[in-house]
Amino acid sequence: MRLPAIRSFGISGGSVTKAGKPTERVLVKVTAGGLSGWGEATPTPAWTYETVETISTTIAGYLAPALIGRPAWDLDGAVAVFDKTINRGLTIGSPIAKSALDLALHDLLGRALGQNVGVLWGQRRTERIQLGWIVSGQTPDEVRQAVREGQSEGYQAFKVKVGLHDESTDAAVVAAVRQAAPSAPIWVDANQAYSVDGALRMARRLVDLDVIAFEQPLPANDFTGLRRLRDHSPLPVALDESLRHPSDLATFVKLDAVDIAIAKVQRSGGLVLSRRLCQLAEDAGLRLMGSGLTDTDLGFAASLHLFAAFGIDTPVDLNGRQFVRSAYVTEATVEVKDGVASVPTGPGLGVEVDEEAVRGLAVQTWST
């Protein structure tokens, strides 16, 4: 379906949203025993390989038929079925499509039992998660304006997209953010844009700006480069795109090539695998930070449950509310006030979906 974009958003790979133009999402409904659960997939071709078309056909033609007839409570078994149906190559294999079904199953099971996801897991360490305002501007003046806009909404932490320009301009953009927000937590995300040497130069430029993390500076599979960078970088190295599956994190831990693991539900194929990844990071003594894929409210809520389960206390990049309007919800069931999100307490994911609105927004119907 198509949803209204509120603001423009770009990363080093290209445009994610454009103000005034619709942005597309795939919603999935899973039904069992007269109850339903909902999940979301966020096609982001500028970030990874899954598109509206591939997500829709993968679910309709492969994952949904493999799931039908199985017990809805068997979340672990569903993941095993997904992985057998769309197998792993050098990556997890259609994680965004798989995540949509995983989220819907969690939502369904919670609604069947009348409990939210945190209660299902028996794990919630915090009730509130601080959000970061995303800064993705072309000039220092633009980013200062973006920071002021975030501050007017009550946000007190900022994530800055770098790798969109030459190194000097990237550094000037971050410096402008620091000037506009002298005491705020700031971290930068390159989305794989740099070489090792370029990332080292950038880290040395940024260290005096009190940047708390340097997220995904190198290509996801550059194992030796990330090891070298971590050895020499004055900033902590955080990995996002590199961590599709818990086994990826295990590899980087063995190589001593990571300081911070980024938890991201859709990237890792849903909540089951994301919990495994977070537990591994915690057991390995790594810091955990959180991120999303410009999710609308379903994905937003799922991420909040995950981050709350592990007590993530640094600001997280859950930027959907900043860029996209969740026009399919009956009301704003996920509360955000002054840049802090309250973890939903309603059954399942805690988001009430207006199915009539979903069908009204649909641009194409896929059937199994």
Side-chain angles (χ1 to χ4, degrees), residues 10-13 136-138 161-166 170 189-191 193-194:
I11 62 176
S12 62
S136 177
Q138 299 298 317
K161 291 294 185 178
V162 294
L164 285 73
H165 320 95
D166 60 78
D170 277 346
D189 183 5
N191 293 116
Y194 294 124

Side-chain angles (χ1 to χ4, degrees), residues 291-323:
S291 185
L293 271 182
T294 320
D295 315 71
T296 57
D297 277 9
L298 283 166
F300 183 33
S303 295
L304 291 174
H305 286 297
L306 177 70
F307 302 163
F310 288 88
I312 293 179
D313 57 4
T314 54
V316 302
D317 165 20
L318 292 180
N319 60 49
R321 289 283 182 90
Q322 184 178 344
F323 295 106

Side-chain angles (χ1 to χ4, degrees), residues 55 87 116 135 151 248 288 328:
I55 290 168
N87 216 323
N116 65 68
V135 179
Q151 290 169 332
D248 297 327
L288 270 171
Y328 60 83

Side-chain angles (χ1 to χ4, degrees), residues 20-42:
K21 293 189 176 182
T23 182
E24 295 183 316
R25 298 292 183 274
V26 178
L27 259 61
V28 176
K29 178 185 178 185
V30 174
T31 301
L35 298 170
S36 297
W38 289 86
E40 170 192 1
T42 305

Side-chain angles (χ1 to χ4, degrees), residues 232-247:
H232 298 285
S233 173
L235 297 177
V237 176
L239 297 186
D240 177 0
E241 289 94 326
S242 294
L243 305 182
R244 307 281 178 172
H245 190 272
S247 61

Side-chain angles (χ1 to χ4, degrees), residues 14 20 32 47 65 80 118 124 141 145 213 235-236 239 257 274 283 326 335 345:
W47 185 78
R124 177 181 286 178
D141 285 343
Q145 175 59 35
L235 297 177
L239 297 186
S274 292
D283 292 344
S326 297
E335 180 185 359
T345 57

